[in-house]
Amino acid sequence: MDRFMLHRIHALSAEMVAGYESYNMVGVSQALSSFVTQYLNSFSFEIYKDRLYLDEKNSSSRRSAQTVMHYALKALATYIAPIACHLAEELHSFQDNVDPAVSSADSVMKQGWFPTPNEWKQPALAEKWETIRDVRRQVFRAIEDAKQGGIVTGMADAAIIIRAPPATK
């Protein structure tokens, strides 16, 4: 999961560079919005919240989730800086505990582009996780249909069994 999210940050970085270099601000905005809604909000935060709240304070699982979220926030702050400078500065100041009213020396504008190592790019891993995301969407759709049909009242009432061929495990 963590390596998949690093892959997605790497892919977003490439989209940001291409969008800004071609002055495609609509594409930049859409890529940012898509990343936040599809990968952060509706996917990783659901998984990470359990690890962040339930795992031991210094567990490797919790620290790994925190690290990925740290990288995601750092990346987003630099990616939005050219089009939403005040929001980017606020994100940067909260994350790095800098008061922009006191010092502008540590501005997000002076940080440069967030670097994404090539090791983060893992298409084979991303393909597996996209399959998992697709199955997850199908499960949620089936639960919603069951809810609409009066079979269950919510997710807590649903019992899900997923059968997959050995190659997909």
Side-chain angles (χ1 to χ4, degrees):
M1 169 72 185
D2 299 332
R3 290 182 301 140
F4 171 65
M5 287 306 296
L6 293 176
H7 170 83
R8 291 305 316 154
I9 294 168
H10 187 279
L12 178 64
S13 178
E15 288 181 77
M16 295 296 95
V17 168
Y20 281 123
E21 285 180 350
S22 65
Y23 300 100
N24 180 3
M25 298 308 140
V26 171
V28 164
S29 297
Q30 288 173 340
L32 284 166
S33 177
S34 175
F35 176 78
V36 169
T37 57
Q38 292 181 23
Y39 293 100
L40 285 182
N41 190 29
S42 69
F43 182 65
S44 65
F45 285 164
E46 280 187 29
I47 295 167
Y48 282 151
K49 70 180 176 186
D50 290 338
R51 289 167 61 186
L52 295 171
Y53 293 130
L54 302 175
D55 287 1
E56 292 292 323
K57 185 176 181 179
N58 290 317
S59 73
S60 60
S61 174
R62 185 172 190 265
R63 295 292 294 147
S64 183
Q66 288 173 324
T67 300
V68 172
M69 291 294 98
H70 169 80
Y71 289 149
L73 185 59
K74 279 287 225 202
L76 287 173
T78 61
Y79 301 161
I80 67 169
I83 55 176
C85 57
H86 299 292
L87 176 59
E89 287 292 359
E90 194 168 353
L91 284 173
H92 175 70
S93 68
F94 282 126
Q95 185 171 23
D96 291 341
N97 202 22
V98 174
D99 185 352
V102 175
S103 170
S104 64
D106 193 32
S107 169
V108 71
M109 300 302 187
K110 295 179 181 179
Q111 297 292 310
W113 206 250
F114 179 76
T116 56
N118 280 335
E119 299 86 52
W120 288 9
K121 187 176 181 180
Q122 298 188 27
L125 178 70
E127 188 177 325
K128 288 180 183 181
W129 274 96
E130 290 300 343
T131 300
I132 292 168
R133 286 172 36 87
D134 185 49
V135 169
R136 181 177 175 266
R137 277 189 291 274
Q138 291 176 37
V139 167
F140 284 175
R141 192 174 309 120
I143 291 172
E144 187 58 34
D145 290 346
K147 202 167 130 182
Q148 295 296 324
I151 298 168
V152 297
T153 58
M155 282 207 192
D157 295 338
I160 306 296
I161 298 172
I162 299 173
R163 289 187 178 87
T168 45
K169 291 183 181 175

